[in-house]
Amino acid sequence: MRNEIHPAPMLETIELTFSYPGEQRQVLKGVTLTVERGSFVAVLGHNGSGKSTLAKQFNAVLLPSTGKVLADGMDTTEESLLFDIRQRVGLCFQNPDNQIVATIVEEDVAFAPENLNIPQAETAERVEYALKAVGMWDFREHSAHQLSGGQKQRVAIAGIIAMRPRCIVLDEPTAMLDPQGRQEVLATIRHLNREEGITVVMITHYMKEAAMADRIVVMDDGLVVLDGTPREVFQQAGYLEEIGLEAPQATSLIARLRKTCPALRADVLDEQEAAEAIAAVLREVKG
Ligand code: ADP
């Protein structure tokens, strides 16, 4: 039995299968997955592996063919719980232009709470909280359409945060952004997780982005094929390549160097760690 000492995980899928209506082919083939409260999980996989389909299962945009999805302990097939599920688990998509609904930034962020008939004073508080949480408070009176891609995506995220969700699921939130916008959005997502305590599930096919997460779930052909910390997952460089993914450049470089220099530590995540690993071996050689 679950109680307050052991609250339900934020998200849980149990033997989840899914086929799109009218199609035989299963897009999800038995996904069992738990996302703990407060965690930051990246879902990685090449195109067509089922990541977006899985994301839409988390807040009942799509429902299981068989198996179960529990969002904050609530079964997504329970129609009476739909409203609560959508409030607790927010979904953010790739293209910020499709998510912005009002002309002025603060009006856009107020849209969802207003639609929920939340009193004006509380809506104003939520808008302020959400815009500050994504670092866009100073832009509250700006025209949303004149913002950069990264800024628009942060406003779209603020619109979700204004619903006060416990969890946010982001489906390739940086895919349409330039490097600067990508950095801004990633910093925002990290802040929401670390400082605001929001559980984050981020779908991405960028290895470097996935490395920011506490945990990486790798999907291939409708199944979870790897699940572990970034270090654990990236060490499977050969397997990642087989399923159309590549470990980060620094990790691959070290894997190659290790063929002639096995003393190098294998579990490096980025350039900084690669440099340190090489320096450590050089120090030993000199000493
Ligand atoms: P990913 O996000 O990993 O790229 P998707 O979940 O978008 O994967 O797609 C998984 C599979 O489901 C793909 O083969 C895709 O063609 C198919 N698919 C996605 N959306 C639909 C849809 N609305 N109708 C039918 N098939 C779909």
Side-chain angles (χ1 to χ4, degrees):
M1 275 295 276
R2 287 189 173 122
N3 54 36
E4 283 184 16
I5 301 165
H6 297 291
M10 189 69 242
L11 300 170
E12 197 171 2
T13 70
I14 303 161
E15 288 299 321
L16 165 66
T17 76
F18 179 75
S19 306
Y20 280 94
E23 299 205 5
Q24 295 273 310
R25 189 172 62 101
Q26 280 188 341
V27 171
L28 300 176
K29 299 181 173 174
V31 174
T32 297
L33 189 63
T34 300
V35 174
E36 298 301 338
R37 273 165 211 280
S39 63
F40 182 164
V41 176
V43 180
L44 203 59
H46 66 80
N47 274 343
S49 55
K51 305 183 298 297
S52 289
T53 306
L54 179 65
K56 290 179 189 138
Q57 295 276 347
F58 285 138
N59 80 345
V61 173
L62 295 174
L63 298 176
S65 300
T66 65
K68 251 188 207 313
V69 178
L70 303 172
D72 204 4
M74 296 179 284
D75 189 324
T76 56
T77 58
E78 269 301 328
E79 253 178 73
S80 61
L81 298 175
L82 191 61
F83 182 78
D84 283 341
I85 291 170
R86 295 265 168 89
Q87 274 203 316
R88 305 230 188 136
V89 182
L91 197 51
C92 174
F93 297 101
Q94 240 180 49
N95 189 343
D97 287 319
N98 297 343
Q99 299 176 82
I100 300 227
V101 289
T103 323
I104 303 298
V105 166
E106 61 187 357
E107 288 170 8
D108 186 80
V109 178
F111 187 79
E114 274 170 357
N115 268 350
L116 293 175
N117 289 326
I118 286 170
Q120 219 174 0
E122 193 189 333
T123 295
E125 261 173 43
R126 285 182 180 216
V127 169
E128 181 173 345
Y129 164 75
L131 281 172
K132 285 183 173 168
V134 303
M136 287 297 289
W137 176 240
D138 291 346
F139 291 83
R140 62 192 174 280
E141 290 170 0
H142 284 227
S143 160
H145 296 285
Q146 283 171 352
L147 301 175
S148 70
Q151 291 171 329
K152 278 187 203 169
Q153 191 63 301
R154 283 152 67 199
V155 171
I157 293 172
I160 297 165
I161 297 303
M163 303 280 284
R164 296 250 181 214
R166 294 182 186 174
C167 174
I168 177 164
V169 178
L170 304 114
D171 190 356
E172 305 211 20
T174 66
M176 306 194 68
L177 307 179
D178 60 17
Q180 155 90 18
R182 193 168 288 166
Q183 286 316 315
E184 284 172 26
V185 168
L186 292 174
T188 299
I189 294 168
R190 200 197 320 246
H191 171 84
L192 293 176
N193 176 249
R194 299 282 190 260
E195 314 301 329
E196 311 293 335
I198 295 173
T199 307
V200 171
V201 177
M202 181 173 72
I203 289 172
T204 180
H205 57 252
Y206 295 110
M207 294 291 163
K208 269 197 150 172
E209 291 189 357
M212 295 170 34
D214 305 321
R215 178 173 152 217
I216 300 180
V217 168
V218 182
M219 291 192 66
D220 183 46
D221 194 20
L223 283 169
V224 171
V225 292
L226 284 177
D227 184 345
T229 62
R231 278 182 212 287
E232 287 164 353
V233 167
F234 292 152
Q235 277 187 64
Q236 308 288 323
Y239 179 67
L240 290 172
E241 247 169 68
E242 268 175 45
I243 60 169
L245 295 168
E246 272 175 32
Q249 273 182 342
T251 314
S252 304
L253 173 67
I254 292 293
R256 275 188 227 164
L257 286 173
R258 273 172 53 83
K259 286 182 185 155
T260 49
C261 180
L264 275 169
R265 59 179 268 225
D267 61 343
V268 305
L269 285 182
D270 55 28
E271 289 83 355
Q272 179 64 31
E273 290 189 6
E276 284 165 11
I278 293 167
V281 170
L282 290 176
R283 268 199 304 274
E284 245 169 61
V285 172
K286 267 196 195 164

